[in-house]
Amino acid sequence: MMKDEIVILAVTKMLSGFCIGGISLASGKWVRPVKERGTILLGDIKYADGSFMRPFDVVSFELGAHRPKPPHIEDWTCDFVHERPRCLGHFDETERRKFCRTYASDGSEKRLLACDISLTLCPPVPTAAMFSLDEYSGKYDARILIPGFDQGRGVPVTDLKWRALGRELLKRGANPLKLSSLKLKSLVGVEAVQLAFGLSRIHENQCWPMVIGVHTFPDYQAEIDYREP
């Protein structure tokens, strides 16, 4: 076992559990903490003070073995019971900007699509956002449109905070809702967007790209309901 300090860049909900990931301050590499068995549960991402992990928390993890299962080469087993993750601090706006400039990798989305890696942080890109809620089925969808990347369909977003923002915006206006970069700036105050991408787990020999972290400058506020699907 070894301790590692990780800057969290993704907190998402996947099926019955949660998925977290970030960049190690020691190695500069992506790390996805996973359990030896089973999925990460809500209590596993909860700190002793009752708060929950969020992007740009600096968290101390007790890591075990590196368990790369290509393309998910970033997986490390983690002790969530005896040595629970501890929050050592949270980056402010200046620290967030500096960190993203340091670790954003231009063109790395191509490696992700080629399944060489399963986690990456990209430089700021022009984006548009789409949110929709089917009143009958209750199915909620959040997507990011990225020119030249998604063929106009949008990439599914699993970032919990961004999805919470979309739910709030849908309550105020049109459904479905599409926001250009200019609309995002005027409605939410977002001037720049930096995206963290991930790959889904393999199903029927395929995996799909997802936006696992929507990091904006300046930051925005949204209330997360962890019970929401």
Side-chain angles (χ1 to χ4, degrees), residues 4-7 9 22-31 74 76 99 102-105 119-121:
D4 198 358
E5 295 179 8
I6 296 170
V7 179
L9 292 175
I23 293 177
S24 164
L25 288 176
S27 68
K29 296 180 180 180
W30 275 90
V31 174
E74 304 88 356
W76 282 79
F99 187 85
T102 300
Y103 291 102
S105 181
L119 296 171
T120 189
L121 180 67

PDB file of all heavy atoms in Angstrom, residues 4-7 9 22-31 74 76 99 102-105 119-121:
ATOM      1  N   ASP A   4      -1.044   8.435  -1.810  1.00  0.00           N
ATOM      2  CA  ASP A   4      -0.878   9.302  -2.965  1.00  0.00           C
ATOM      3  C   ASP A   4      -1.873  10.447  -2.840  1.00  0.00           C
ATOM      4  O   ASP A   4      -3.023  10.240  -2.415  1.00  0.00           O
ATOM      5  CB  ASP A   4      -1.123   8.533  -4.257  1.00  0.00           C
ATOM      6  CG  ASP A   4      -0.538   9.243  -5.483  1.00  0.00           C
ATOM      7  OD1 ASP A   4       0.021  10.347  -5.307  1.00  0.00           O
ATOM      8  OD2 ASP A   4      -0.641   8.702  -6.593  1.00  0.00           O
ATOM      9  N   GLU A   5      -1.415  11.646  -3.196  1.00  0.00           N
ATOM     10  CA  GLU A   5      -2.295  12.806  -3.181  1.00  0.00           C
ATOM     11  C   GLU A   5      -2.777  13.070  -4.597  1.00  0.00           C
ATOM     12  O   GLU A   5      -1.976  13.263  -5.510  1.00  0.00           O
ATOM     13  CB  GLU A   5      -1.553  14.025  -2.616  1.00  0.00           C
ATOM     14  CG  GLU A   5      -1.169  13.847  -1.157  1.00  0.00           C
ATOM     15  CD  GLU A   5      -0.406  15.029  -0.600  1.00  0.00           C
ATOM     16  OE1 GLU A   5      -0.304  16.068  -1.300  1.00  0.00           O
ATOM     17  OE2 GLU A   5       0.093  14.923   0.535  1.00  0.00           O
ATOM     18  N   ILE A   6      -4.088  13.048  -4.762  1.00  0.00           N
ATOM     19  CA  ILE A   6      -4.699  13.129  -6.085  1.00  0.00           C
ATOM     20  C   ILE A   6      -5.624  14.334  -6.161  1.00  0.00           C
ATOM     21  O   ILE A   6      -6.427  14.565  -5.248  1.00  0.00           O
ATOM     22  CB  ILE A   6      -5.478  11.838  -6.397  1.00  0.00           C
ATOM     23  CG1 ILE A   6      -4.503  10.652  -6.463  1.00  0.00           C
ATOM     24  CG2 ILE A   6      -6.264  11.966  -7.703  1.00  0.00           C
ATOM     25  CD1 ILE A   6      -5.180   9.306  -6.525  1.00  0.00           C
ATOM     26  N   VAL A   7      -5.487  15.102  -7.225  1.00  0.00           N
ATOM     27  CA  VAL A   7      -6.411  16.201  -7.497  1.00  0.00           C
ATOM     28  C   VAL A   7      -7.595  15.613  -8.262  1.00  0.00           C
ATOM     29  O   VAL A   7      -7.448  15.151  -9.393  1.00  0.00           O
ATOM     30  CB  VAL A   7      -5.737  17.314  -8.313  1.00  0.00           C
ATOM     31  CG1 VAL A   7      -6.751  18.436  -8.612  1.00  0.00           C
ATOM     32  CG2 VAL A   7      -4.538  17.881  -7.568  1.00  0.00           C
ATOM     33  N   LEU A   9     -10.656  15.203 -10.543  1.00  0.00           N
ATOM     34  CA  LEU A   9     -11.152  15.883 -11.737  1.00  0.00           C
ATOM     35  C   LEU A   9     -12.467  15.304 -12.233  1.00  0.00           C
ATOM     36  O   LEU A   9     -13.059  15.829 -13.174  1.00  0.00           O
ATOM     37  CB  LEU A   9     -10.116  15.827 -12.858  1.00  0.00           C
ATOM     38  CG  LEU A   9      -8.840  16.642 -12.634  1.00  0.00           C
ATOM     39  CD1 LEU A   9      -7.852  16.400 -13.758  1.00  0.00           C
ATOM     40  CD2 LEU A   9      -9.151  18.125 -12.517  1.00  0.00           C
ATOM     41  N   GLY A  22      -8.648  11.311 -11.026  1.00  0.00           N
ATOM     42  CA  GLY A  22      -7.899  12.561 -10.955  1.00  0.00           C
ATOM     43  C   GLY A  22      -6.440  12.341 -11.285  1.00  0.00           C
ATOM     44  O   GLY A  22      -6.037  11.252 -11.715  1.00  0.00           O
ATOM     45  N   ILE A  23      -5.662  13.368 -11.079  1.00  0.00           N
ATOM     46  CA  ILE A  23      -4.238  13.336 -11.430  1.00  0.00           C
ATOM     47  C   ILE A  23      -3.391  13.351 -10.167  1.00  0.00           C
ATOM     48  O   ILE A  23      -3.600  14.177  -9.267  1.00  0.00           O
ATOM     49  CB  ILE A  23      -3.886  14.515 -12.349  1.00  0.00           C
ATOM     50  CG1 ILE A  23      -4.583  14.338 -13.701  1.00  0.00           C
ATOM     51  CG2 ILE A  23      -2.371  14.627 -12.544  1.00  0.00           C
ATOM     52  CD1 ILE A  23      -4.366  15.487 -14.671  1.00  0.00           C
ATOM     53  N   SER A  24      -2.456  12.436 -10.110  1.00  0.00           N
ATOM     54  CA  SER A  24      -1.550  12.319  -8.972  1.00  0.00           C
ATOM     55  C   SER A  24      -0.564  13.483  -8.953  1.00  0.00           C
ATOM     56  O   SER A  24       0.068  13.778  -9.972  1.00  0.00           O
ATOM     57  CB  SER A  24      -0.789  10.994  -9.040  1.00  0.00           C
ATOM     58  OG  SER A  24       0.342  11.001  -8.194  1.00  0.00           O
ATOM     59  N   LEU A  25      -0.419  14.125  -7.812  1.00  0.00           N
ATOM     60  CA  LEU A  25       0.559  15.205  -7.692  1.00  0.00           C
ATOM     61  C   LEU A  25       1.976  14.659  -7.697  1.00  0.00           C
ATOM     62  O   LEU A  25       2.923  15.373  -8.040  1.00  0.00           O
ATOM     63  CB  LEU A  25       0.297  15.997  -6.407  1.00  0.00           C
ATOM     64  CG  LEU A  25      -0.948  16.896  -6.412  1.00  0.00           C
ATOM     65  CD1 LEU A  25      -1.140  17.542  -5.040  1.00  0.00           C
ATOM     66  CD2 LEU A  25      -0.839  17.964  -7.492  1.00  0.00           C
ATOM     67  N   ALA A  26       2.140  13.394  -7.337  1.00  0.00           N
ATOM     68  CA  ALA A  26       3.477  12.795  -7.306  1.00  0.00           C
ATOM     69  C   ALA A  26       3.961  12.408  -8.697  1.00  0.00           C
ATOM     70  O   ALA A  26       5.101  12.690  -9.077  1.00  0.00           O
ATOM     71  CB  ALA A  26       3.480  11.567  -6.393  1.00  0.00           C
ATOM     72  N   SER A  27       3.088  11.777  -9.479  1.00  0.00           N
ATOM     73  CA  SER A  27       3.503  11.248 -10.782  1.00  0.00           C
ATOM     74  C   SER A  27       3.043  12.090 -11.959  1.00  0.00           C
ATOM     75  O   SER A  27       3.584  11.962 -13.063  1.00  0.00           O
ATOM     76  CB  SER A  27       2.968   9.823 -10.951  1.00  0.00           C
ATOM     77  OG  SER A  27       1.555   9.837 -11.068  1.00  0.00           O
ATOM     78  N   GLY A  28       2.025  12.937 -11.748  1.00  0.00           N
ATOM     79  CA  GLY A  28       1.449  13.686 -12.854  1.00  0.00           C
ATOM     80  C   GLY A  28       0.593  12.831 -13.768  1.00  0.00           C
ATOM     81  O   GLY A  28       0.197  13.269 -14.849  1.00  0.00           O
ATOM     82  N   LYS A  29       0.275  11.609 -13.333  1.00  0.00           N
ATOM     83  CA  LYS A  29      -0.516  10.688 -14.144  1.00  0.00           C
ATOM     84  C   LYS A  29      -1.932  10.558 -13.593  1.00  0.00           C
ATOM     85  O   LYS A  29      -2.177  10.770 -12.410  1.00  0.00           O
ATOM     86  CB  LYS A  29       0.143   9.305 -14.183  1.00  0.00           C
ATOM     87  CG  LYS A  29       1.511   9.284 -14.861  1.00  0.00           C
ATOM     88  CD  LYS A  29       2.091   7.882 -14.858  1.00  0.00           C
ATOM     89  CE  LYS A  29       3.460   7.842 -15.545  1.00  0.00           C
ATOM     90  NZ  LYS A  29       4.041   6.472 -15.540  1.00  0.00           N
ATOM     91  N   TRP A  30      -2.846  10.170 -14.486  1.00  0.00           N
ATOM     92  CA  TRP A  30      -4.213   9.912 -14.070  1.00  0.00           C
ATOM     93  C   TRP A  30      -4.280   8.671 -13.196  1.00  0.00           C
ATOM     94  O   TRP A  30      -3.579   7.683 -13.430  1.00  0.00           O
ATOM     95  CB  TRP A  30      -5.106   9.711 -15.278  1.00  0.00           C
ATOM     96  CG  TRP A  30      -5.632  10.974 -15.885  1.00  0.00           C
ATOM     97  CD1 TRP A  30      -5.052  11.719 -16.870  1.00  0.00           C
ATOM     98  CD2 TRP A  30      -6.861  11.638 -15.553  1.00  0.00           C
ATOM     99  NE1 TRP A  30      -5.843  12.801 -17.166  1.00  0.00           N
ATOM    100  CE2 TRP A  30      -6.959  12.781 -16.379  1.00  0.00           C
ATOM    101  CE3 TRP A  30      -7.884  11.379 -14.645  1.00  0.00           C
ATOM    102  CZ2 TRP A  30      -8.038  13.655 -16.313  1.00  0.00           C
ATOM    103  CZ3 TRP A  30      -8.958  12.242 -14.568  1.00  0.00           C
ATOM    104  CH2 TRP A  30      -9.034  13.364 -15.402  1.00  0.00           C
ATOM    105  N   VAL A  31      -5.154   8.735 -12.187  1.00  0.00           N
ATOM    106  CA  VAL A  31      -5.421   7.596 -11.310  1.00  0.00           C
ATOM    107  C   VAL A  31      -6.937   7.466 -11.149  1.00  0.00           C
ATOM    108  O   VAL A  31      -7.617   8.456 -10.871  1.00  0.00           O
ATOM    109  CB  VAL A  31      -4.769   7.773  -9.925  1.00  0.00           C
ATOM    110  CG1 VAL A  31      -5.190   6.648  -8.982  1.00  0.00           C
ATOM    111  CG2 VAL A  31      -3.249   7.834 -10.042  1.00  0.00           C
ATOM    112  N   GLU A  74      -5.640   3.223 -16.013  1.00  0.00           N
ATOM    113  CA  GLU A  74      -5.424   4.126 -14.873  1.00  0.00           C
ATOM    114  C   GLU A  74      -5.958   3.566 -13.561  1.00  0.00           C
ATOM    115  O   GLU A  74      -5.893   4.223 -12.524  1.00  0.00           O
ATOM    116  CB  GLU A  74      -6.098   5.483 -15.159  1.00  0.00           C
ATOM    117  CG  GLU A  74      -5.640   6.154 -16.447  1.00  0.00           C
ATOM    118  CD  GLU A  74      -6.449   5.718 -17.665  1.00  0.00           C
ATOM    119  OE1 GLU A  74      -7.334   4.830 -17.515  1.00  0.00           O
ATOM    120  OE2 GLU A  74      -6.212   6.245 -18.759  1.00  0.00           O
ATOM    121  N   TRP A  76      -6.371   1.832 -10.062  1.00  0.00           N
ATOM    122  CA  TRP A  76      -5.585   1.426  -8.901  1.00  0.00           C
ATOM    123  C   TRP A  76      -6.557   1.013  -7.795  1.00  0.00           C
ATOM    124  O   TRP A  76      -7.530   1.719  -7.522  1.00  0.00           O
ATOM    125  CB  TRP A  76      -4.727   2.588  -8.374  1.00  0.00           C
ATOM    126  CG  TRP A  76      -3.486   2.848  -9.166  1.00  0.00           C
ATOM    127  CD1 TRP A  76      -3.380   3.510 -10.348  1.00  0.00           C
ATOM    128  CD2 TRP A  76      -2.160   2.460  -8.799  1.00  0.00           C
ATOM    129  NE1 TRP A  76      -2.069   3.566 -10.759  1.00  0.00           N
ATOM    130  CE2 TRP A  76      -1.300   2.922  -9.817  1.00  0.00           C
ATOM    131  CE3 TRP A  76      -1.615   1.780  -7.712  1.00  0.00           C
ATOM    132  CZ2 TRP A  76       0.078   2.718  -9.780  1.00  0.00           C
ATOM    133  CZ3 TRP A  76      -0.243   1.569  -7.673  1.00  0.00           C
ATOM    134  CH2 TRP A  76       0.590   2.045  -8.696  1.00  0.00           C
ATOM    135  N   PHE A  99      -3.403  24.521 -12.685  1.00  0.00           N
ATOM    136  CA  PHE A  99      -3.358  23.066 -12.766  1.00  0.00           C
ATOM    137  C   PHE A  99      -3.810  22.584 -14.141  1.00  0.00           C
ATOM    138  O   PHE A  99      -3.173  21.715 -14.753  1.00  0.00           O
ATOM    139  CB  PHE A  99      -4.247  22.460 -11.669  1.00  0.00           C
ATOM    140  CG  PHE A  99      -4.147  20.963 -11.566  1.00  0.00           C
ATOM    141  CD1 PHE A  99      -3.146  20.376 -10.823  1.00  0.00           C
ATOM    142  CD2 PHE A  99      -5.054  20.150 -12.215  1.00  0.00           C
ATOM    143  CE1 PHE A  99      -3.040  18.993 -10.728  1.00  0.00           C
ATOM    144  CE2 PHE A  99      -4.974  18.771 -12.135  1.00  0.00           C
ATOM    145  CZ  PHE A  99      -3.962  18.195 -11.382  1.00  0.00           C
ATOM    146  N   THR A 102      -1.296  23.146 -16.814  1.00  0.00           N
ATOM    147  CA  THR A 102      -0.158  22.231 -16.686  1.00  0.00           C
ATOM    148  C   THR A 102      -0.474  20.842 -17.235  1.00  0.00           C
ATOM    149  O   THR A 102       0.359  20.232 -17.910  1.00  0.00           O
ATOM    150  CB  THR A 102       0.265  22.116 -15.208  1.00  0.00           C
ATOM    151  OG1 THR A 102       0.642  23.405 -14.721  1.00  0.00           O
ATOM    152  CG2 THR A 102       1.436  21.152 -15.044  1.00  0.00           C
ATOM    153  N   TYR A 103      -1.687  20.351 -16.972  1.00  0.00           N
ATOM    154  CA  TYR A 103      -1.967  18.944 -17.247  1.00  0.00           C
ATOM    155  C   TYR A 103      -2.885  18.695 -18.439  1.00  0.00           C
ATOM    156  O   TYR A 103      -3.087  17.535 -18.815  1.00  0.00           O
ATOM    157  CB  TYR A 103      -2.546  18.273 -15.995  1.00  0.00           C
ATOM    158  CG  TYR A 103      -1.510  18.137 -14.906  1.00  0.00           C
ATOM    159  CD1 TYR A 103      -1.488  19.003 -13.820  1.00  0.00           C
ATOM    160  CD2 TYR A 103      -0.524  17.159 -14.995  1.00  0.00           C
ATOM    161  CE1 TYR A 103      -0.532  18.891 -12.831  1.00  0.00           C
ATOM    162  CE2 TYR A 103       0.443  17.037 -14.008  1.00  0.00           C
ATOM    163  CZ  TYR A 103       0.430  17.906 -12.933  1.00  0.00           C
ATOM    164  OH  TYR A 103       1.390  17.792 -11.964  1.00  0.00           O
ATOM    165  N   ALA A 104      -3.431  19.747 -19.042  1.00  0.00           N
ATOM    166  CA  ALA A 104      -4.236  19.527 -20.249  1.00  0.00           C
ATOM    167  C   ALA A 104      -3.337  19.028 -21.375  1.00  0.00           C
ATOM    168  O   ALA A 104      -2.230  19.537 -21.580  1.00  0.00           O
ATOM    169  CB  ALA A 104      -4.935  20.817 -20.651  1.00  0.00           C
ATOM    170  N   SER A 105      -3.811  18.040 -22.107  1.00  0.00           N
ATOM    171  CA  SER A 105      -3.007  17.410 -23.149  1.00  0.00           C
ATOM    172  C   SER A 105      -3.680  17.599 -24.502  1.00  0.00           C
ATOM    173  O   SER A 105      -4.735  17.011 -24.772  1.00  0.00           O
ATOM    174  CB  SER A 105      -2.833  15.921 -22.847  1.00  0.00           C
ATOM    175  OG  SER A 105      -2.037  15.294 -23.815  1.00  0.00           O
ATOM    176  N   LEU A 119      -8.691   8.065 -19.718  1.00  0.00           N
ATOM    177  CA  LEU A 119      -8.923   9.317 -19.002  1.00  0.00           C
ATOM    178  C   LEU A 119      -8.005  10.390 -19.573  1.00  0.00           C
ATOM    179  O   LEU A 119      -6.816  10.133 -19.793  1.00  0.00           O
ATOM    180  CB  LEU A 119      -8.640   9.169 -17.504  1.00  0.00           C
ATOM    181  CG  LEU A 119      -9.521   8.218 -16.698  1.00  0.00           C
ATOM    182  CD1 LEU A 119      -8.952   8.031 -15.298  1.00  0.00           C
ATOM    183  CD2 LEU A 119     -10.953   8.724 -16.629  1.00  0.00           C
ATOM    184  N   THR A 120      -8.540  11.587 -19.784  1.00  0.00           N
ATOM    185  CA  THR A 120      -7.688  12.676 -20.254  1.00  0.00           C
ATOM    186  C   THR A 120      -8.341  14.017 -19.966  1.00  0.00           C
ATOM    187  O   THR A 120      -9.564  14.114 -19.838  1.00  0.00           O
ATOM    188  CB  THR A 120      -7.380  12.546 -21.758  1.00  0.00           C
ATOM    189  OG1 THR A 120      -6.385  13.491 -22.123  1.00  0.00           O
ATOM    190  CG2 THR A 120      -8.617  12.791 -22.610  1.00  0.00           C
ATOM    191  N   LEU A 121      -7.510  15.041 -19.862  1.00  0.00           N
ATOM    192  CA  LEU A 121      -7.958  16.421 -19.697  1.00  0.00           C
ATOM    193  C   LEU A 121      -7.519  17.191 -20.932  1.00  0.00           C
ATOM    194  O   LEU A 121      -6.345  17.184 -21.283  1.00  0.00           O
ATOM    195  CB  LEU A 121      -7.331  17.040 -18.448  1.00  0.00           C
ATOM    196  CG  LEU A 121      -7.694  18.492 -18.134  1.00  0.00           C
ATOM    197  CD1 LEU A 121      -9.163  18.633 -17.763  1.00  0.00           C
ATOM    198  CD2 LEU A 121      -6.814  19.028 -16.994  1.00  0.00           C
TER     199      LEU A 121
END
